[in-house]
Amino acid sequence: MVKKTKDSQEPLSSSSTKTPEEASTRRMVLRVRQSEPTKRLASLVIDEEKEKRVVSVKRSKTKQKKKGAKVDPKMPKKPPTAFFYFLEDFRKEFQEQNPDIKTMRVVGKACGEKWKTMSYEEKVKYYDIAMAKRAEFDEAMSEYIKRKESGEGDETEDDEDYDI
């Protein structure tokens, strides 16, 4: 809806007798009327944005990290993958060939490129090592679960010291 300013009281029409110079001096104001639901929605969106900003500013980096369940220190750890066994060997060779390079970034990039270009036959020895370690881990994990279910691992060292 277009309304005129209070400066001019004449109606706007295409058949105006004024010259183009006089018509260009008039000012037109465009008013947009918002319905009540639109106003409520806009205010809710603004409120949500403010809350998000305030929350993100108040939180420190330590609070943003999720706290997982406590891990049992007696639980066996997962073995590395075949790539990590290859990485151990590759690092030794790479350091011997390039003693001046000290950054892990360069070593890691070179190792990744080498791993991608290797054939499956070359990778087999590392996959075999990884499979053997994984089998050991599975056995240790099954033993751990059995001990946990039977209740053998529930006692702590402090409890044993205070036998009355």
Side-chain angles (χ1 to χ4, degrees):
M1 175 184 225
V2 178
K3 289 191 173 183
K4 295 186 295 181
T5 60
K6 293 182 181 180
D7 296 340
S8 62
Q9 297 295 330
E10 300 171 12
L12 293 175
S13 65
S14 59
S15 63
S16 178
T17 57
K18 293 189 177 194
T19 65
E21 295 169 358
E22 292 174 352
S24 65
T25 59
R26 282 192 274 162
R27 296 165 90 196
M28 308 235 331
V29 177
L30 179 64
R31 290 182 129 187
V32 177
R33 291 188 181 178
Q34 289 185 339
S35 65
E36 200 60 34
T38 308
K39 287 180 184 177
R40 280 191 223 131
L41 181 63
S43 66
L44 288 173
V45 169
I46 291 170
D47 290 342
E48 289 177 4
E49 288 177 0
K50 285 181 183 177
E51 289 176 10
K52 287 179 184 175
R53 283 190 218 132
V54 171
V55 170
S56 64
V57 170
K58 287 184 179 179
R59 287 187 182 176
S60 66
K61 290 182 180 180
T62 56
K63 290 184 180 180
Q64 288 178 352
K65 294 181 180 178
K66 291 183 180 180
K67 293 182 179 178
K70 291 185 178 180
V71 179
D72 188 1
K74 296 178 183 177
M75 187 169 130
K77 295 182 181 170
K78 287 187 179 180
T81 62
F83 176 75
F84 285 99
Y85 290 110
F86 166 71
L87 185 61
E88 288 177 23
D89 292 343
F90 183 81
R91 268 194 219 130
K92 292 173 188 172
E93 294 172 15
F94 191 80
Q95 288 294 331
E96 290 172 3
Q97 295 171 359
N98 306 306
D100 56 324
I101 296 178
K102 301 289 182 189
T103 61
M104 288 303 297
R105 181 179 180 195
V106 175
V107 175
K109 282 187 176 184
C111 182
E113 290 172 7
K114 174 76 173 167
W115 181 258
K116 288 177 185 176
T117 59
M118 286 175 65
S119 66
Y120 182 75
E121 289 79 26
E122 294 172 320
K123 294 179 184 180
V124 166
K125 89 175 185 185
Y126 300 108
Y127 282 117
D128 290 340
I129 295 169
M131 291 300 289
K133 296 289 184 178
R134 182 65 187 205
E136 291 174 15
F137 167 75
D138 289 339
E139 290 175 20
M141 195 65 182
S142 63
E143 290 175 14
Y144 170 78
I145 291 171
K146 287 177 185 175
R147 282 184 295 179
K148 192 82 169 170
E149 288 174 352
S150 66
E152 292 177 22
D154 290 343
E155 294 181 8
T156 61
E157 295 174 6
D158 296 336
D159 294 342
E160 295 171 1
D161 294 339
Y162 296 110
D163 286 334
I164 297 177

